[in-house]
Amino acid sequence: MKYYSTNRQVPLSTLRDAVLKGLADDNGLYMPERIPQLGRDFFASLRTKTLQEIALEVASALFGDDVAAPALRDMVYGALSFDIPTVRVADNRYSLELFHGPTMAFKDVGARFLARMMQHFTRNEKAETNVLVATSGDTGSAVANGFLGMEGITVTVLYPKGLVSKIQEAQFTTLGQNVCALEVEGAFDDCQRLVKQAFLDKGLTAQRRLTSANSINLARFIPQAFYYFWGWAQMPKDSEVVACVPSGNFGNLTAGLLARRMGLPIKHFIAANNANDVFWEYLQTAKFSPRPSIATIANAMDVGNPSNFARIMDLYNGDYAGVTADISGYRYGDAQIRSIVKRTFDETAYTLDPHGACACEALREYLEENKAVNGFFLETAHPAKFKETVDDILGADIAIPEKLQAFMSGRKQAVGMSNRYEDFRDFLLK
Ligand SMILES: *Cc1c(COP(=O)(O)O)cnc(C)c1O
């Protein structure tokens, strides 16, 4: 299988090069040149299979030409080392709990798969690979933990000093080994600028192999398709099924669209936004107007220019009518998110995190108009990851799972860093 860039200004790429590059040289995002179809037999037997078995079949259809079967099996089973339960929240509304991985957010799935695939493609090489990741919280923890202990690969996490939660910070500053956390004097945008500048610095990249692990990387994007097949198989038999996704950069939702193109009979998708509503606006007006993000309590969705919009346009050839036939949008401000968390808890005893809350409510609104349908929403983080917010909304003291507590008891080992590129460059070269 070859991969093309959504900007189509560069030749087709191998899987290996696409994964190690992340972004294509023309700044496009990589897509598979052909979308494999899974047959009737596969769907007929889906309900009898485990998450890992399903994921391996989907992975084989996509990556089977490029990765030998035993290695691919190790990648899938190694990445999906935890369950993804579906919990019925109310009536025909189900939560697909993607937060049972090591850092308790859905990004574990993509980050763990990417780490394994990157290691697979670099394992016989002498040069060390350095993964650079700028984070406002969840990405850094998922990537750092995904790559932890991988030989020949180091991870450098840049995060804005004082602007990530204590739990999030502990998840990437206490690991040690091949993970280095840089506490940057500045905002998330400074961290991102430093990383971007490093990739463009020819003098630096001649001496160090740098790569990124953000959600544009196809080996982070594609494995997110696996759990849509699994989620669909957990829904009541013979019913129509819709899926609802709390969205920021839209990697997660786009992976669902890919699953559907592979034959998965999900009838419709629902994109839930917070106040960063450029995609919602696109659905209403056919105009896509990226703008700076605004801070909300669902901060992993604070994206003003969703990078995977390019993949959605590519899948639909820019056909607005096609996009709106398949995807509906909803958006919620902070006050609404707060009342959704509260009301859902009061009515169903289910504790949502602020991201899942947007999706849970969007699904409820959609199902009100579409009654005979069942739907699942992606619950992308454990509520304890946003403990201060959730406690405040519920007037409660929600328990911190052991997995998160273990991070909190580790020793912080971050390196202070100015926001000047020269300092960052010196650090990478030393
Ligand atoms: C990253 C993230 C999202 C947004 O996912 P995208 O793939 O960027 O749309 C939603 N919820 C949580 C908790 C996240 O960490």
Side-chain angles (χ1 to χ4, degrees):
M1 175 89 83
K2 292 284 197 295
Y3 293 83
Y4 63 88
S5 158
T6 52
N7 286 342
R8 294 169 202 265
Q9 303 294 310
V10 288
L12 291 175
S13 170
T14 61
L15 176 61
R16 176 188 178 280
D17 290 349
V19 170
L20 294 183
K21 267 209 155 83
L23 193 66
D25 284 336
D26 61 359
N27 282 329
L29 279 63
Y30 285 111
M31 288 291 276
E33 63 170 343
R34 151 182 86 66
I35 297 180
Q37 299 300 302
L38 294 162
R40 257 170 200 284
D41 292 352
F42 172 73
F43 290 106
S45 65
L46 215 54
R47 286 167 192 283
T48 64
K49 292 190 170 132
T50 65
L51 165 66
Q52 292 79 6
E53 287 167 345
I54 293 172
L56 183 55
E57 287 209 36
V58 178
S60 303
L62 284 154
F63 302 128
D65 294 347
D66 303 294
V67 182
L72 192 58
R73 189 178 194 287
D74 286 349
M75 254 177 236
V76 168
Y77 279 72
L80 291 171
S81 56
F82 46 89
D83 285 335
I84 301 180
T86 35
V87 176
R88 186 175 180 189
V89 173
D91 309 321
N92 45 355
R93 219 161 9 123
Y94 296 78
S95 171
L96 185 67
E97 293 189 343
L98 292 164
F99 57 71
H100 294 273
T103 74
M104 310 207 86
F106 87 99
K107 290 190 172 71
D108 282 330
V109 175
R112 289 171 68 78
F113 191 86
L114 168 65
R116 282 159 178 77
M117 189 170 264
M118 225 180 240
Q119 168 139 79
H120 172 79
F121 283 127
T122 57
R123 67 190 186 283
N124 294 324
E125 296 174 7
K126 281 206 193 73
E128 194 172 75
T129 302
N130 196 338
V131 175
L132 302 184
V133 53
T135 187
S136 54
D138 270 358
T139 301
S141 49
V143 169
N145 283 275
F147 280 90
L148 186 65
M150 297 256 155
E151 248 169 71
I153 304 180
T154 60
V155 180
T156 307
V157 180
L158 292 83
Y159 72 103
K161 182 175 179 173
L163 296 179
V164 306
S165 77
K166 283 278 166 256
I167 290 183
Q168 286 177 327
E169 185 178 30
Q171 286 184 315
F172 50 78
T173 58
T174 60
L175 299 172
Q177 298 185 55
N178 59 334
V179 175
C180 178
L182 296 183
E183 187 172 23
V184 176
E185 302 282 347
F188 169 65
D189 291 347
D190 292 301
C191 301
Q192 206 157 34
R193 171 178 52 81
L194 293 175
V195 169
K196 280 195 181 144
Q197 210 165 335
F199 286 127
L200 294 173
D201 182 342
K202 293 251 160 29
L204 176 66
T205 54
Q207 298 175 66
R208 292 282 182 275
R209 175 141 92 196
L210 305 180
T211 187
S212 79
N214 61 16
S215 63
I216 59 168
N217 195 305
L218 104 136
R220 240 189 90 180
F221 155 65
I222 286 182
Q224 297 173 153
F226 302 161
Y227 46 68
Y228 285 89
F229 292 89
W230 164 252
W232 178 84
Q234 309 313 303
M235 293 295 104
K237 217 171 169 202
D238 300 324
S239 82
E240 288 191 316
V241 173
V242 297
C244 181
V245 190
S247 295
N249 264 320
F250 278 81
N252 215 359
L253 187 124
T254 309
L257 298 174
L258 176 69
R260 186 169 191 252
R261 289 289 172 94
M262 294 178 79
L264 181 67
I266 288 187
K267 184 178 165 256
H268 197 71
F269 286 86
I270 302 148
N273 278 150
N274 61 20
N276 295 279
D277 56 1
V278 291
F279 188 80
W280 177 87
E281 190 180 85
Y282 165 77
L283 292 175
Q284 317 305 314
T285 65
K287 287 201 189 67
F288 183 64
S289 320
R291 48 181 166 260
S293 64
I294 39 183
T296 76
I297 56 171
N299 59 19
M301 289 153 61
D302 294 350
V303 178
N305 186 8
S307 46
N308 284 287
F309 187 75
R311 283 196 168 111
I312 297 178
M313 286 302 103
D314 190 79
L315 278 172
Y316 287 90
N317 284 319
D319 173 23
Y320 171 74
V323 175
T324 51
D326 288 352
I327 312 172
S328 301
Y330 294 84
R331 60 168 177 176
Y332 303 99
D334 276 359
Q336 288 172 299
I337 296 174
R338 297 175 71 90
S339 72
I340 295 160
V341 172
K342 178 86 173 87
R343 173 165 43 81
T344 305
F345 182 78
D346 290 347
E347 290 176 4
T348 70
Y350 192 78
T351 308
L352 292 162
D353 96 288
H355 306 78
C358 297
C360 183
E361 180 66 6
L363 181 58
R364 193 190 65 76
E365 289 201 52
Y366 178 85
L367 292 177
E368 230 168 47
E369 309 289 318
N370 299 273
K371 289 209 162 42
V373 180
N374 285 284
F376 62 87
F377 66 93
L378 276 49
E379 182 37 296
T380 45
H382 190 287
K385 289 201 86 169
F386 302 90
K387 179 170 166 58
E388 284 119 66
T389 305
V390 177
D391 278 356
D392 182 53
I393 295 169
L394 297 180
D397 178 16
I398 60 169
I400 302 181
E402 244 168 66
K403 243 185 254 177
L404 290 183
Q405 254 163 23
F407 287 112
M408 303 291 282
S409 59
R411 187 174 61 84
K412 176 174 163 178
Q413 335 173 22
V415 176
M417 176 68 48
S418 79
N419 63 13
R420 292 177 52 238
Y421 177 66
E422 291 68 32
D423 293 339
F424 179 51
R425 185 178 200 273
D426 287 346
F427 171 84
L428 290 174
L429 284 171
K430 126 186 144 236

